[in-house]
Amino acid sequence: MPLCQLFINREQNQFMVVQMPDEITPDKYQVWITQEENEQHVQAFEFSQQLLDRIALKYVSDEEKQYEAKYVLMKAPDEEQLFVSSLEISEQDDEKLDVVRNGLMIVFDKQELEHFTSFLQEVWDEVRMQ
């Protein structure tokens, strides 16, 4: 199960998914992000709730496959309220990917990345046109 990070080239409005090398540990994550941003001239992408909602809706509205989209809620130790930490995408109880708000993606099915990025690009274009 590879870990990937979603980046965006804001000048071209294009997304880029980069598989995280195995040697990247949580303590080296931010250094790796900064290095990728500098080398690739991109920014790590963070999802707004509106964008996650629209992606979830695209998945559950897909007529070809029976997808489920579930939010994972968390509570920070110093907070009173719950917040959406990630979106889980599955098809007939087979988990395909988890999309974390900070753009980190846990990929259970590599083929699903292409489907996800096409949905993401559609939703991104719709939001930009509003």
Side-chain angles (χ1 to χ4, degrees), residues 10-59:
R10 293 205 184 267
E11 292 174 7
Q12 299 173 1
N13 286 306
Q14 286 187 308
F15 292 97
M16 182 173 89
V17 177
V18 177
Q19 185 168 334
M20 197 176 302
D22 292 337
E23 65 271 10
I24 301 301
T25 56
D27 60 320
K28 296 178 182 174
Y29 173 72
Q30 196 56 51
V31 172
W32 178 76
I33 294 290
T34 303
Q35 181 180 348
E36 288 294 315
E37 288 175 329
N38 290 335
E39 289 176 5
Q40 305 288 338
H41 305 291
V42 293
Q43 286 181 299
F45 188 78
E46 294 202 18
F47 288 91
S48 67
Q49 185 61 51
Q50 178 189 29
L51 204 57
L52 281 179
D53 290 348
R54 287 175 179 242
I55 291 168
L57 189 58
K58 284 265 189 206
Y59 267 100

